Amino acid sequence: MLDLTNERLRMVKDQIAGRGVHNPAVLEAMRHVPREAFIPEELAEFAYRDTPLPIEADQTISQPYIVALMIESVEPRAGDRALEIGTGSGYAAAVLSQVVGEVYTIERHEQLAKLATERLDSLGYSNVKVLYGDGTLGWPEHSPYDVIIVTAGGPQVPKPLLQQLAIGGRLIIPVGETSRLQRLVRVTRTSQDRFEDEDLGDVQFVPLIGSEGWDAGVAKAVRPSTQRSRSTTIAKLIRETAEPIADIDQADVSSLIERIGDSRVVLLGEATHGTSEFYRMRARITKELILRHGFNFVAVEADWPDAARINQYIRHAPVRQEQWKAFARFPTWMWRNHEALDLIEWLRAWNAEVSEPERRASFYGLDLYSLFTSINAVITYLNSVDPKMAAVARQRYACLSPWEQDPAVYGRAVLSGRYQDCEAAVVAMLRDMLNRRIEYSQRDGDRFFDAAQNARLVAAAERYYRVMYYGNVESWNLRDQHMFDTLERLLEFHGPGSKGIVWEHNSHVGDASATEMGTRGEHNVGQLSRARFAESAYLVGFGTDHGTVAAASDWDGPMEIKRIRPSHEASYERLCHDSEIKAFMLHLRDPVRQAVRDELESARLERAIGVIYRPESELQSHYFQACLPRQFDEYIWFDETRAVSPLPSVVAPGVPETYPFGV
Ligand code: SAM
């Protein structure tokens, strides 16, 4: 069993108090109410992650911090009578019941209302009453309420709730023009007819559906006409200022290359992990940067050892025969595709042709999911240069070997206290290798660099699998920090004045502080690059409206060719689509007309499709809030796109695997 009490206490300390919630009664309540009892059993281990979680009826239990923030902001007192709209799991009602006198809560899904009643009863929260019905009408019988908390986002504050608020009472509700984007608003009733509003910032809640909320077909909620005409103006501005791309291979990218200028790092994004146009356009820009601007390497969102094989291949180095296959883990289509192969073959041909060795290009992986392949790579290297140290490595890394099948289980075992962590062992191994840097690299600097990078990866991955259980923010930040550190080390390895090109998803490449990731406390490679290289980092985002994409429906599921739904009306993608240009480059850092930047400045939805695409729940699963001109220096658009062409990943016996992936 996981020790969830400790996790709960840690959650209150780090996620709640750590973010500025100070009300002692709220903190105490959060320390006591077991969130795990309010979520589906199979998700119990994630109960104290810093995130909303799915519950029954396709709804969510709110992020713990939001629950605490909302309760604190209505300034609850011990004897207060409270009304909550949107019972959901019943968790927030349980927390609230610990800080006020009585709680009335309403839920529009009968299944949820029933489940919440059972949970609250069985846990002994006897001062909570649940009603199944439309909460936008309130619960007049028990009014007036000292506090009202609405946990779903409406188009306005429902009038019946204002009427049922006591004089001096406080109400909190997410209110927004669209069903998914809201501002958190606090209303205080100062007299019979006077209400004061305060804006507490951006939030994202599920829609409040009811007679004073959104229609059930809420995704189609109509935006006010002023908003629509503004969108038309922006689309027109895009049409007037964007540089059209007629054909990827023939496109004149010289203006973009000029804007990139002397940048040290160019980050090329993608809005999906399976779109042909994104690969081909990035390859087009990459070739230009290598040919004309002396860029030294391409670093991609792939594992270090996998990319190292490609690097040997493109650099015409002797290829070591290995038992394992490169790019064989899910999602194989991300690199085993014809588009990536075209770039690899081009890099190989370029390296054969170019006479100065320093102008040859390299290919690297930035990611950290290759724990055991990297362990083997370190041991294989040490076997050849220092067999005694190889024996030490084998012994130290043995600490991790029980978890080879599923390293995520390692983190859980450590967290439960049943297993000693391996941090000291992997860190000692890295330290010992770095201490012998001079001795080892005298034999072969490239091989030492590769092995040391694998040892670094093992140390980062060991931590990654442990912090995974503390929440998404911690593990995301650790992974992006590792990728950025690797990028910096590559620049250092290639020497002063060296330059690199990064290929990763928009979510790593676009500055996280300009998106809702920043609000959650996440940073990424783009943000870290700007902090380190300032104007010398050039961030390019990519987007699409519709077409097909290679993606899976579930983790580890098979690749499918899926149809991308046309973009949401409140998104940046819709603005680009409405510009009616099929493909274009849009300069955002210092555009010809400043109005483009200004007009795009107010936050909108942006779509992100990873290796999983779930069109049926697209709005919840794939859209997030962003401020595009602060996120990227340039945005490249393809209105209609098609899926990448995967290479065969299962090889018939006796048939050599497609070169170079099988090297
Ligand atoms: N407070 C909940 C918890 O702790 O689990 C989370 C609430 S969830 C973010 C929002 C809930 O509001 C959903 O369960 C949804 O069904 C409910 N909801 C939406 N519109 C409603 C309405 N008009 N009346 C009552 N509940 C509503």
Side-chain angles (χ1 to χ4, degrees), residues 35 38-39 52-53 55-63 67 84-94 105-109 112 119 131-137 149-153 204-214:
R35 192 170 184 244
F38 291 85
I39 55 179
L53 291 169
I55 56 170
E56 298 76 8
D58 275 342
Q59 296 301 313
T60 53
I61 178 172
S62 306
Q63 180 191 8
V67 172
E84 183 199 30
I85 312 303
T87 315
S89 66
Y91 173 69
T105 176
I106 312 175
E107 172 54 55
R108 69 179 280 272
H109 283 288
L112 292 180
R119 283 178 189 134
L131 176 71
Y132 155 54
D134 177 3
T136 64
L137 302 174
I149 296 181
V150 185
T151 67
Q204 221 178 354
F205 274 81
V206 296
L208 179 71
I209 296 172
S211 57
E212 297 277 326
W214 297 102

Side-chain angles (χ1 to χ4, degrees), residues 526-541:
Q527 183 179 347
L528 296 168
S529 296
R530 275 193 174 158
R532 169 75 177 79
F533 303 108
E535 299 266 293
S536 258
Y538 202 83
L539 279 46
V540 185

Side-chain angles (χ1 to χ4, degrees), residues 4 17 42 111 172 191 211 266 285 301 370-371 535 597 624 661:
L4 295 177
E42 65 278 13
Q111 182 197 8
I172 188 144
S191 71
S211 57
V266 174
I285 299 167
E301 189 178 338
S370 56
L371 178 56
E535 299 266 293
R597 222 190 127 89
F624 62 98
F661 292 95

Side-chain angles (χ1 to χ4, degrees), residues 264-270 282 286 289 295 297-301 335 364 366 483-484 487-488 490-491 499-505 508-509 525-526 529 538 540 542:
R264 185 110 202 257
V265 289
V266 174
L267 277 56
L268 303 175
E270 55 178 359
R282 291 186 297 179
T286 299
L289 291 173
F295 274 74
F297 62 85
V298 186
V300 305
E301 189 178 338
W335 295 110
Y364 301 106
L366 296 173
M483 297 200 284
F484 176 73
L487 174 62
E488 276 210 296
L490 287 169
L491 290 167
K499 301 198 269 189
I501 306 160
V502 171
W503 283 33
E504 290 195 304
H505 196 276
H508 298 296
V509 159
V525 176
S529 296
Y538 202 83
V540 185
F542 284 70

